[in-house]
């Protein structure tokens, strides 16, 4: 670890110890309510924030009513997530009036944007703490300031370094999320991520493997390697290690049986990666490969650096080596300048690839991104109609893809009780498909054989094979 990181980690630990000592003398543990918006990367950040809270002597609660500390970890990718955050912090004002000692914090991607932090400073005076993605590691110090009665704003950009923390409170056993890199260099013209998460920074293989070994020792069987663009892992390091190389190292960790990763930019999918995936049984045959749209004209305006043809070539190569691959993608409908003809090309690429799962979004204008200044041609109503049409087409494809699993036996990692029926368990196949089946909670965390007895659009039903 670099010297500066070590020093910052020591400072972090000093504040953790200080707050822990203060909390230890209280008659009860203070309660924290942490809510996370957005992607898996944010969920992973929240696990680290919660790890720090745990180390500082906090317990967790499920509602803001009981909380001594409320922390929202926010997402800036689309406007609707931002509006929900503003709504939620607005709603806390009365609670804070009734309980002035309560601390309200807002952090993450939204808070890395100066204009948002400013709006909170001026209009949401009951918020005590604001810190961006670059200041997550400073959380204990920031919290200490707020506990002393201060109002703390930290959203300066301190790009170029990864600050490790050893604390982590994992949310979703038995799957452990492991960040391998932060930030993004791609600057897709619609996307705010490079502005709020900074340039790509890879964690050292040493730190990543240390974390994987630690979760394996705790009994985790499955890991998910996370990054905005995992396929460019290592390009900023000096040891020449690639993402494919890192995957091979991860496969050697004893106790880990399944490895997934997210997200892959199509321009960075290498033959080496496809080969490593195909050769290693531990690497799940699942690939999230965002295409965003099917029209070359729009792909160019999005700055995606691949054409439809190039993308389809990658899909073909992947399917040739791994016929069982479960493919998913992201689609944006209504990018500025997208015409109905462009949209037809998106529909046609969905039909051509036949994805198992599609995450679709209506374009949301993000201040400061190049697309925000591009002229639009469809109305909101037309965009919504296209969006609905696309979902209908994709739902049929998804059902057809799931139908192919009928009667097959799948290896399923049991994740927990089903959310809708307590007599059922919920788990995932190697390809990442959700399967629900009857069974007891003692199976949670185990990998078992399940025969698929019914198929739906979003999930599968099955029976345990004894
Ligand atoms: N509007 C709509 N969707 C967006 N995404 C990113 N930025 C925007 C935006 N401005 C989508 C992309 C990306 C996913 C995580 O979110 O599809 O892959
Ligand atoms: Fe955003 Fe593009 Fe980076 Fe993904 S690759 S985070 S869409 S800029």
């Amino acid at each position: 670890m670099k010297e500066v990181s070590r020093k910052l980690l020591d400072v972090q630990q000093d504040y953790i110890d200080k707050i822990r000592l203060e909390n230890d003398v209280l008659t009860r543990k203070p309660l924290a309510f942490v809510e996370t918006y957005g992607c898996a990367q944010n969920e992973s950040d929240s696990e680290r924030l919660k790890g720090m809270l745990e180390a500082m002597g906090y317990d967790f609660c499920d509602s803001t009513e009981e909380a001594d500390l409320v922390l929202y970890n926010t997402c800036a990718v689309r406007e609707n997530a931002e509006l929900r955050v503003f709504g939620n912090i607005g709603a806390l004002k009365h609670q804070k009036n009734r309980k002035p000692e309560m601390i309200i914090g807002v952090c993450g991607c939204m808070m890395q944007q100066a204009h948002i932090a400013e709006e909170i400073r001026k209009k949401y005076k009951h918020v005590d703490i604001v810190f961006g993605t670059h200041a997550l590691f400073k959380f204990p110090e920031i919290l200490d300031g707020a506990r002393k009665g201060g109002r703390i704003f930290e959203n300066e950009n301190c790009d170029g370094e990864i600050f490790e923390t050893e604390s982590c409170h994992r949310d979703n056993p038995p799957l452990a999320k492991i960040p391998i890199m932060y930030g993004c260099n791609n600057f897709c013209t619609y996307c705010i991520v490079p502005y709020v998460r900074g340039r790509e920074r890879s964690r050292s293989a040493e730190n990543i493997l240390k974390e994987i070994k630690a979760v394996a020792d705790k009994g985790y069987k499955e890991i998910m390697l996370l990054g905005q663009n995992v396929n460019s892992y290592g390009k900023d390091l000096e040891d020449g290690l690639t993402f494919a190389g890192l995957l091979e190292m991860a496969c050697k960790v004893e106790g880990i049986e399944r490895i997934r990763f997210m997200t892959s930019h199509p321009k960075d999918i290498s033959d080496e990666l496809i080969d490593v995936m195909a050769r290693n049984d531990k690497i799940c045959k699942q690939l999230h490969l965002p295409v965003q749209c099917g029209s070359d004209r729009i792909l160019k305006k999005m700055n995606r650096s691949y054409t439809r043809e190039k993308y389809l070539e990658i899909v073909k190569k992947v399917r040739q080596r791994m016929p069982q691959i479960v493919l998913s993608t992201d689609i944006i409908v209504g990018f500025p300048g997208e015409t109905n003809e462009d949209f037809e090309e998106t529909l046609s690429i969905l039909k051509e690839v036949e994805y198992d799962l599609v995450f679709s979004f209506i374009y949301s204008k993000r201040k400061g991104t190049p697309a925000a200044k591009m002229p639009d041609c469809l109305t909101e109503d037309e965009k919504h109609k296209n969006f609905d049409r696309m979902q209908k087409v994709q739902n049929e494809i998804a059902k057809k893809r799931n139908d192919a699993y009928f009667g097959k036996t799948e290896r399923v990692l049991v994740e927990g009780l089903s959310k809708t029926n307590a007599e059922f368990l919920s788990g995932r196949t190697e390809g990442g498909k959700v399967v629900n089946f009857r069974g007891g909670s003692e199976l949670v965390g185990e990998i078992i054989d399940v025969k698929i007895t019914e198929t739906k659009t979003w999930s599968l039903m099955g029976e345990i094979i004894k």
Side-chain angles (χ1 to χ4, degrees), residues 184 186-188 190-191 193-194 228 265 292 304:
C184 180
N186 291 313
F187 289 95
C188 302
Y190 49 81
C191 189
V193 168
Q228 246 72 41
H265 194 302
Q292 310 298 357
R304 288 293 288 176

Side-chain angles (χ1 to χ4, degrees), residues 19-30 57 68 147:
I19 295 178
R20 170 104 215 182
L21 286 175
E22 290 168 6
N23 284 342
D24 276 350
V25 297
L26 301 176
T27 48
R28 66 160 176 88
K29 279 188 165 194
D68 300 292
R147 283 164 61 102

Side-chain angles (χ1 to χ4, degrees), residues 57-90:
Y58 280 82
D59 240 343
F60 300 106
C61 60
D62 298 326
S63 81
T64 57
E65 294 291 332
E66 313 157 65
D68 300 292
L69 166 72
V70 173
L71 185 63
Y72 291 122
N73 188 6
T74 64
C75 169
V77 168
R78 281 169 294 274
E79 192 185 16
N80 51 9
E82 291 196 344
L83 294 176
R84 270 197 295 143
V85 169
F86 279 123
N88 282 341
I89 44 182

Side-chain angles (χ1 to χ4, degrees), residues 192-206:
I192 195 76
V193 168
Y195 305 90
V196 293
R197 284 198 171 265
R199 296 298 69 72
E200 287 174 1
R201 286 147 285 150
S202 303
R203 280 179 84 191
S204 72
E206 185 193 340

